[in-house]
Amino acid sequence: MAKNTQYDHNTIEEHWHGVWEETQLFQDTLATADPNKESLYLLFAFAYPSGQGLHVGHVESKTALDILARFNRMHGKTVFFPVGWDAFGLPAENYAVKTGVHPAETTRNAIDTFRRQIKRVGISYDWKSEIATSHPGYYKWTQWLFLELYKKGLAYQGTGQVNWCPSCQTVLANEQVVDGKCERCDSEVIQKEMKQWYFKITDYKDELISGLDQVDWPKATKLQQLNWIGKKTGINITYQVDDIDAKITVFTTRPDTNYGATFLVLAPEHEFVKTIVDGKLETPQVEQVREYLAKAQKKTELERQQEGRNKTGAFTGFYAVNQLTNRKMPIWISDFVLSGFGTGAVVGVPGHDLRDFEFAKAFDIEVLRVVVGPDGDTSPITSVDQVQEDVGKMINSGFLDGVEIAEAIESMMDYLEEKGWGKRVTTFKLRDWLISRQRYWGAPIPIVYDPEGKPHPVKEEHLPWTLPTDVDFKPTGESPLTSSKEFQDRVEKLYGPGWRPEYDTMDTFVDSSWYYLRYVSARDESQFSDPERLAKYLPVDFYMIGPEHIVLHLLYSRFFTKFLRDLGYLKFDEPFLAMRHQGMILGPDNKKMSKSKGNVINPDDIIQKFGADTLRMYEMFMGPIESDKPWDISAVAGVYRFLQRVLSLVEAVRLTGSETPDHPDYLTVRRKLHQTIEKVSKDIPARKYNTAIAALMECVNVWEKASRDKAVVLPESEVLAFIQIMAPFAPFMTEELYQRGRETSEFSSVHQTEWPSFDPEMAAEDMIELPVQVDGKVRAKLRVAATDAAEEAKVISQAQANEVITKWLDGKTVVKTIYIPGKILSFVTK
RNA sequence: GCCGAGAUGGCGGAAUCGGUAGACGCGUGGGUCUCAAAAACCCAUGAGCCAAAACUCGUGAGGGUUCGAGUCCCUCUCUCGGCACCA
């Protein structure tokens, strides 16, 4: 056979890239789609076009989807596989602050780079439906969506404590604060009271939970969403404040221990605290309350967290009465109680809640035991390890004595409700979504204010409400749009003198939470998306997305989907039917790739040296898509060698020209080929690309050996089948091999051919190797004709005739014989 | 602390309705070719014992169920991800 056929990957890949561009292969899918064909919508979480360009992680997830796309096209489906850009965002704006280059220009250049790189990797996107969120044709509809929410009362202005990043000079959503720091720049986030725009995502909280039953997502992802929504059932208990006309309601999930309640704690922001500070309620402790409040408000989120479990607090001078015991419980304030959760007030049961115990110890409050400890311990609780939270029988608890905790919870809730002292409630951790951003590079919020400062929606005929360009980017703490003269003039001209625009822009997550709806009619100027196409192609069949988007993007997207469904625009409840996450590609040092560590692999370099086919195939071969895995440059070369061998092998077949289907070893190769077709056909839909590639390699190993040692030459149809099953992985080289074997000059791609079928008969082995165990240990392997595998008696007698088995059975009594047809034969002796 | 995922040769990983552990690739050792080297190709490659065959051990640790456990059950350790003074 011909050795070392030159594998000139750059020439091959650039050539076919050019041909595909010219012939518009797989472009404008929906306009040309056959309505009778089954359709498949594959979606990649669109990327922020950063100045760094494409990285190997992008290549991984894009290739994974591209393989699915090509495979399904070859199965006759209409595959919708669009691409776009999450183009608004901070990096371009920060770059503008530093250099003065307008974000629009930075973004345009970055997109151009990405587009070029993605095409070079051979991702078969439909570029006709490309979108960018920063394009007025797109954000017009983002603004339209805002107005629809506004009309329904789901976009509202609220004043409250917000997360403020002093470095980005903007507010952040709760979801964007990570460990008390800004997720973008790691600056410490502070709390600020501001008037901002919110979306009422909490209206959908129940459905955001129940809808998860409809989708095929990783279990862990669903749990994480549930966790974030944080549904909890408990009871609100209302206590009378002693001596004055006031009541305080606490939320608790554990009313069972209420006989052990000895104090109340209020969040610093609690209404009752306000009345004290305002002097409406007289107490000798007013000064210390004020002092504590002042201190608490100054703390940043981070400082609060760093305090850890150390309890601070102040006594208000008031007492609440526990109806169960008539005990007067001192009312304290402390910042460990959060105003946003429950009622902003808790009842302290120090004997059976770790936190309450710590608080009681810090301020010398009485601790009562109401649950029997392990080994029947009923002594007073004096140390932390006696604080028993979850299990045990009630004691000192009146009618609950002797009852297990779980049962006591329900009994007590019933009792409190019966008495009118409490009411069962459900609470959620999920807050409304704060969408105002004091930044430039985003979609302007389509709101204008009249001279009295009252907000009005921008009229729909004024959409897109364009982002002004005469803006000073330098962050001042005020929105950059404040500096635009054009923006101000526009508003006064359209709405009247004294009117002013809303200067804030929308969180970029607003842009990215509905893009998958826009793709199907990306150029439509009359509506946000085409109803017919939405009905036909949505919801998304398969979504590939990084694990970092689990909480924010998915939650917001699901909210929009449900909202638009309620308006009648959509006929489905969930936007993404199936979803998986790609793992991270780590540097060769097994660490996350970063410029500072100098371990970044640039896909351009790999393509230059080995080609896009190698890059794709290597990344798919590294391991399961879902797991993190380190880059290994010599393994890349291994994949390159494989491709080179394929090229040589196929070339050799064609140069030889004479097939040898009558060769005795031909059947071995054909069997392997059919086994490989079967394996690859099963592995691709399951996205087990690493094992599919391993199978392709095995096939080549067998084929090559037969070709070299035995001069076996496969018929052209079988060579073609191999090329076809490899095509989704290595689109360039397979196109080259396919075209070399064709006679006609009219272009038709290997990627448009029909996927080869495998013949189970041809794939079947005629001899199998059957392990034989004696007492659980494999002692011999029998060669059994496949046709005999089902005949137990025949197999057993063959085993008993085996020399090694005889030796092991010698002098022993076989008490049991187990035969799993075709799998294993096991003798058990005494 | 709580929730989730995971731990398999020198490395990445195969194999989980319980049935030959280590497919495939990398690396390593030896060889062919060459004046030499590179490339390419061939052979070997879990550990122990060993001339070889055979045998013994072996999937984070310890127990258990089973004829048989990487896979199932219990306990534990470590790593990664998420949440966290959430009442």
Side-chain angles (χ1 to χ4, degrees):
Chain A
M1 68 175 271
K3 276 191 173 180
N4 293 335
T5 307
Q6 193 58 42
Y7 175 27
D8 185 355
H9 55 265
N10 278 327
T11 306
I12 291 173
E13 293 182 356
E14 273 155 27
H15 174 70
W16 292 113
H17 170 214
V19 173
W20 296 336
E21 281 283 298
E22 215 174 281
T23 55
Q24 293 285 292
L25 190 63
F26 304 133
Q27 299 305 296
D28 215 1
T29 326
L30 301 190
T32 55
D34 176 348
N36 300 316
K37 274 187 174 182
E38 200 185 326
S39 68
L40 184 76
Y41 186 170
L42 299 176
L43 184 66
F44 171 76
F46 69 170
Y48 177 79
S50 86
Q52 318 295 319
L54 200 68
H55 62 72
V56 289
H58 288 124
V59 175
E60 184 195 20
S61 36
K62 285 168 186 291
T63 304
L65 278 175
D66 188 52
I67 290 168
L68 273 186
R70 291 176 186 274
F71 178 79
N72 281 289
R73 286 195 199 102
M74 290 172 82
H75 279 84
K77 289 186 191 166
T78 298
V79 175
F80 184 49
F81 188 31
V83 59
W85 313 102
D86 189 11
F88 274 137
L90 275 181
E93 185 169 348
N94 291 340
Y95 186 73
V97 171
K98 233 190 286 174
T99 63
V101 180
H102 195 277
E105 193 185 328
T106 315
T107 305
R108 198 183 323 113
N109 291 339
I111 290 176
D112 285 345
T113 305
F114 267 87
R115 199 186 285 120
R116 179 184 56 74
Q117 288 179 306
I118 289 170
K119 287 185 174 184
R120 186 60 186 79
V121 176
I123 307 297
S124 58
Y125 280 137
D126 183 348
W127 292 93
K128 282 287 190 314
S129 50
E130 181 181 358
I131 57 179
T133 55
S134 60
H135 194 280
Y138 181 89
Y139 72 69
K140 169 179 178 180
W141 300 105
T142 305
Q143 292 167 331
W144 169 85
L145 189 58
F146 177 99
L147 294 178
E148 291 297 305
L149 285 158
Y150 182 83
K151 275 188 224 162
K152 296 285 173 195
L154 295 184
Y156 68 92
Q157 221 173 3
T159 307
Q161 294 285 322
V162 298
N163 306 301
W164 175 264
C165 172
S167 163
C168 298
Q169 299 271 2
T170 183
V171 301
L172 301 170
N174 286 337
E175 289 83 351
Q176 287 165 324
V177 181
V178 178
D179 293 333
K181 292 176 185 170
C182 170
E183 68 156 4
R184 282 229 73 89
C185 69
D186 265 355
S187 308
E188 224 174 272
V189 170
I190 60 171
Q191 299 299 304
K192 226 176 159 175
E193 175 130 334
M194 289 177 81
K195 199 173 193 185
Q196 300 283 290
W197 286 95
Y198 292 84
F199 285 163
K200 213 168 172 191
I201 188 171
T202 52
D203 263 19
Y204 287 89
K205 55 189 188 282
D206 286 309
E207 218 202 319
L208 287 170
I209 293 172
S210 63
L212 290 173
D213 293 336
Q214 296 180 26
V215 294
D216 169 18
W217 290 8
K219 208 177 105 217
T221 302
K222 292 186 183 181
L223 283 170
Q224 222 174 301
Q225 286 232 334
L226 286 175
N227 218 355
W228 188 266
I229 299 166
K231 181 177 179 171
K232 230 173 218 161
T233 53
I235 189 163
N236 279 349
I237 306 176
T238 303
Y239 297 106
Q240 179 68 47
V241 180
D242 200 30
D243 287 340
I244 60 167
D245 181 23
K247 288 180 167 139
I248 287 172
T249 301
V250 302
F251 172 74
T252 178
T253 55
R254 295 294 306 279
D256 51 311
T257 55
N258 214 252
Y259 275 95
T262 55
F263 61 95
L264 255 56
V265 191
L266 311 180
E269 299 83 5
H270 196 277
E271 274 307 309
F272 188 74
V273 181
K274 260 182 205 146
T275 55
I276 295 175
V277 177
D278 294 349
K280 284 179 197 147
L281 287 175
E282 274 187 38
T283 167
Q285 272 79 15
V286 64
E287 269 320 307
Q288 77 189 59
V289 169
R290 281 189 182 140
E291 213 174 284
Y292 182 77
L293 224 54
K295 243 192 275 173
Q297 274 165 353
K298 266 207 308 224
K299 279 184 214 169
T300 64
E301 195 55 40
L302 201 69
E303 280 169 343
R304 244 170 101 138
Q305 281 179 20
Q306 277 163 352
E307 261 173 18
R309 307 197 66 97
N310 294 328
K311 299 290 182 291
T312 60
F315 178 47
T316 59
F318 293 95
Y319 292 85
V321 182
N322 187 344
Q323 309 92 324
L324 293 167
T325 56
N326 283 322
R327 170 185 283 273
K328 287 185 185 176
M329 305 182 290
I331 302 172
W332 287 69
I333 55 171
S334 173
D335 62 5
F336 87 78
V337 177
L338 309 172
S339 64
F341 189 82
T343 59
V346 300
V347 55
V349 182
H352 306 285
D353 182 284
L354 196 58
R355 232 182 11 196
D356 294 350
F357 182 81
E358 287 161 354
F359 192 80
K361 279 287 145 194
F363 297 105
D364 211 16
I365 301 171
E366 196 178 351
V367 179
L368 299 178
R369 174 189 284 282
V370 289
V371 179
V372 181
D375 308 323
D377 185 8
T378 55
S379 63
I381 294 167
T382 52
S383 77
V384 194
D385 29 278
Q386 280 177 292
V387 176
Q388 201 182 341
E389 297 186 314
D390 303 321
V391 286
K393 282 198 163 75
M394 307 308 299
I395 187 178
N396 305 328
S397 295
F399 73 101
L400 290 175
D401 280 354
V403 176
E404 282 290 337
I405 282 179
E407 199 191 325
I409 293 174
E410 290 307 312
S411 306
M412 180 59 99
M413 286 201 193
D414 289 343
Y415 184 74
L416 291 171
E417 285 195 322
E418 206 176 287
K419 288 279 183 183
W421 296 335
K423 194 171 179 347
R424 279 181 166 90
V425 287
T426 306
T427 60
F428 290 82
K429 209 184 87 173
L430 182 71
R431 296 279 90 92
D432 278 341
W433 173 16
L434 167 56
I435 58 110
S436 302
R437 294 293 180 274
Q438 291 70 44
R439 298 299 310 214
Y440 169 69
W441 193 231
I445 293 175
I447 288 287
V448 287
Y449 296 91
D450 63 27
E452 276 82 54
K454 198 168 160 282
H456 298 266
V458 167
K459 290 176 192 157
E460 241 175 82
E461 65 258 34
H462 296 149
L463 299 186
W465 190 241
T466 53
L467 186 64
T469 48
D470 59 331
V471 165
D472 181 9
F473 304 120
K474 294 236 159 45
T476 58
E478 284 216 312
S479 301
L481 295 192
T482 320
S483 67
S484 167
K485 189 169 179 307
E486 182 273 318
F487 203 32
Q488 182 61 47
D489 290 349
R490 187 201 312 170
V491 170
E492 293 199 283
K493 201 173 136 214
L494 292 171
Y495 295 92
W499 287 61
R500 66 164 189 88
E502 165 66 57
Y503 296 116
D504 291 348
T505 53
M506 286 189 252
D507 180 7
T508 54
F509 276 102
V510 180
D511 311 324
S512 60
S513 296
W514 72 281
Y515 75 107
Y516 47 91
L517 302 171
R518 182 64 180 169
Y519 272 144
V520 290
S521 56
R523 302 288 168 268
D524 199 329
E525 289 180 18
S526 64
Q527 52 195 346
F528 85 98
S529 193
D530 177 67
E532 266 176 47
R533 286 190 173 178
L534 284 172
K536 177 146 176 59
Y537 297 104
L538 273 285
V540 172
D541 292 291
F542 186 77
Y543 198 15
M544 190 71 142
I545 189 174
E548 69 277 14
H549 290 302
I550 288 173
V551 173
L552 302 134
H553 170 64
L554 290 178
L555 210 51
Y556 298 154
S557 298
R558 298 179 59 221
F559 161 50
F560 279 179
T561 299
K562 290 168 195 303
F563 171 68
L564 288 167
R565 175 206 58 197
D566 286 349
L567 292 187
Y569 291 106
L570 306 176
K571 304 277 180 255
F572 50 89
D573 304 322
E574 289 288 333
F576 316 121
L577 292 182
M579 190 220 357
R580 293 292 182 272
H581 309 294
Q582 76 269 18
M584 207 190 313
I585 293 186
L586 307 170
D589 54 357
N590 228 320
K591 296 203 171 80
K592 193 174 167 177
M593 285 190 193
S594 79
K595 266 203 276 184
S596 59
K597 287 195 210 101
N599 61 351
V600 176
I601 303 293
N602 183 343
D604 281 344
D605 299 342
I606 304 294
I607 289 170
Q608 184 54 40
K609 201 164 167 206
F610 299 102
D613 282 336
T614 300
L615 174 66
R616 291 167 62 107
M617 223 162 172
Y618 167 66
E619 291 204 18
M620 294 303 102
F621 185 56
M622 291 172 89
I625 300 291
E626 285 89 357
S627 49
D628 296 348
K629 43 219 171 261
W631 191 268
D632 178 355
I633 190 64
S634 39
V636 178
V639 171
Y640 185 73
R641 268 198 296 275
F642 169 70
L643 290 173
Q644 187 153 28
R645 282 166 59 205
V646 171
L647 187 78
S648 302
L649 197 53
V650 174
E651 276 301 270
V653 170
R654 282 167 177 162
L655 291 175
T656 309
S658 45
E659 303 163 358
T660 58
D662 50 348
H663 193 285
D665 287 305
Y666 162 68
L667 290 183
T668 310
V669 183
R670 191 183 69 180
R671 184 188 305 132
K672 190 70 187 171
L673 176 66
H674 279 265
Q675 289 171 350
T676 306
I677 297 172
E678 179 180 16
K679 174 85 175 143
V680 172
S681 305
K682 275 186 184 155
D683 278 355
I684 290 179
R687 298 173 306 278
K688 291 171 75 175
Y689 305 136
N690 53 334
T691 51
I693 292 170
L696 290 169
M697 288 172 167
E698 275 185 65
C699 184
V700 167
N701 288 345
V702 170
W703 180 8
E704 198 177 50
K705 200 165 164 52
S707 160
R708 185 181 50 236
D709 299 349
K710 313 280 172 70
V712 171
V713 178
L714 299 194
E716 177 65 23
S717 65
E718 289 172 6
V719 173
L720 180 61
F722 182 83
I723 293 170
Q724 285 176 302
I725 60 173
M726 207 171 122
F729 301 94
F732 296 98
M733 176 197 261
T734 50
E735 185 78 289
E736 171 78 14
L737 291 174
Y738 176 71
Q739 300 298 342
R740 282 190 201 174
R742 291 182 82 225
E743 310 280 315
T744 52
S745 57
E746 196 190 328
F747 177 75
S748 161
S749 171
V750 67
H751 305 291
Q752 291 169 304
T753 58
E754 193 187 328
W755 190 259
S757 55
F758 75 96
D759 184 335
E761 248 171 67
M762 291 186 189
E765 296 283 352
D766 38 38
M767 292 297 281
I768 58 166
E769 198 173 59
L770 190 81
V772 181
Q773 291 185 341
V774 178
D775 291 329
K777 289 208 154 106
V778 176
R779 295 301 180 187
K781 288 162 189 176
L782 302 179
R783 298 226 2 117
V784 179
T787 47
D788 289 344
E791 295 181 48
E792 183 166 347
K794 209 165 176 179
V795 172
I796 290 173
S797 64
Q798 192 181 335
Q800 279 163 341
N802 183 283
E803 205 182 312
V804 182
I805 297 301
T806 320
K807 197 185 90 194
W808 280 97
L809 291 178
D810 187 36
K812 291 173 180 161
T813 320
V814 175
V815 294
K816 204 173 171 188
T817 304
I818 300 154
Y819 180 56
I820 313 291
K823 283 276 185 191
I824 204 160
L825 175 63
S826 186
F827 292 110
V828 186
T829 71
K830 204 156 64 168

